[in-house]
Amino acid sequence: MRIPRAVLMPLLTLVLLTSGTTYAAERAVPETEPGTGAPDRIALWPDGQVPGEAGQATVPEVIERSTDRALPDRYMDNVSAPYLVVYRPARPNGSALLVVPGGGYQRIVLDKEGTALVPAFVEDGGVTLFVLRYRLPAGRSDRQAALADAQRAMRVIRADAARWQIDPQRVGVMGFSAGGHVAARLSNGFDASAYPHRDAIDALSARPDVALLIYPVIDMGTHAHTGSRTRLLGPHPDAALQQQFSMQDQVRVDTPPTFLVHAQDDNVVSVHNSLVYYQALLRAGVTAEMHLFPFGGHGFGVRIPAGLTVAQWPTLALRWIPSRHTEPARHD
């Protein structure tokens, strides 16, 4: 039986509106962010002094993609005045992580790679999390804006360590997907001149004490996530530019100890990104731990279906972080 178009189109519209698809669910929810001046929101630079930004700061747009209020899935874009959102444990253990969510250098994922980490890392693990809202490449000629934000964030965290009850020598970085690329850039370029230093905070070290890279973008060549590469480097980057931003080619002897997590069936950011980075860490003599899981895909964060072994990664990470301070003596 052939359904008339006049009947079919309204039916299709109803299906799309009720199916819970990403596009049907998207809606602006700016009120979900801590307001300027809130105790859990930290501006990285004084008002109007963000390097490379002219004019009045834009208002970031926050979009909700989930139809399930128990599982929010917001993202943010249009950040010109970067800031941190802090999640504090009731009993802080003295360690902290700068969290750099992913989003393909197009957006910043706020929940799957931000708020969803709180139960495991903050409430159970006692780690203080500082989740970064950073500048994206769109509309900017400065490819170092995200690195500048990450460097400044590490320094801002250390400058106020006493307030947050953390040890300034136990501040690491944790990055997801394209945020993993930012975290790797910070790991290898913590002392790069990404912005002009302007105050006492900028005299502090931006080197993370540890780095946790979760399904990270690393390579800008053969194994590149093409969306991240295009947004950061443009549509036709030459070989030298690709190498400059391929983090396996930038590892150094003082790159921080690194923890890697990836799923073999990741069809967005190839597992080869973690593999080539791990090999580079080994060549440089940097302590590294890598966990590869057969299933999990991409962007799983901590919302992982029951039964998948990749669900172990937060527990493994929380055991690894303090182990960096109690490594057994070498006998060689």
Side-chain angles (χ1 to χ4, degrees), residues 176-243:
F176 297 80
S177 193
H181 190 254
V182 177
R185 289 167 68 188
L186 179 64
S187 296
N188 301 313
F190 52 84
D191 54 359
S193 298
Y195 66 93
H197 290 195
R198 63 187 62 205
D199 57 26
I201 290 173
D202 289 326
L204 299 175
S205 173
R207 180 183 181 272
D209 293 298
V210 294
L212 296 89
L213 308 182
I214 318 302
Y215 40 84
V217 171
I218 294 292
D219 184 35
M220 289 288 156
T222 306
H223 305 296
H225 175 243
T226 54
S228 294
R229 179 175 62 190
T230 299
R231 293 179 193 110
L232 183 62
L233 305 184
H236 305 293
D238 61 28
L241 192 60
Q242 289 182 44
Q243 183 177 27

Side-chain angles (χ1 to χ4, degrees), residues 263 265 293-298 300 303-314:
D265 65 346
F293 297 92
F295 305 112
H298 186 73
F300 45 78
R303 294 177 180 173
I304 301 165
L308 292 186
T309 53
V310 70
Q312 301 172 40
W313 84 259

Side-chain angles (χ1 to χ4, degrees), residues 7 131 275 325:
V7 175
V131 184
L275 289 169
H325 302 286

Side-chain angles (χ1 to χ4, degrees), residues 24-49:
E26 288 189 352
R27 62 190 185 280
V29 286
E31 71 279 1
T32 61
E33 281 290 280
T36 302
D40 53 349
R41 173 171 170 158
I42 309 168
L44 294 190
W45 279 280
D47 230 7
Q49 296 185 37

Side-chain angles (χ1 to χ4, degrees), residues 165-181:
Q165 296 178 265
I166 60 174
D167 182 343
Q169 296 184 23
R170 294 173 63 194
V171 182
V173 65
M174 177 161 63
F176 297 80
S177 193
H181 190 254

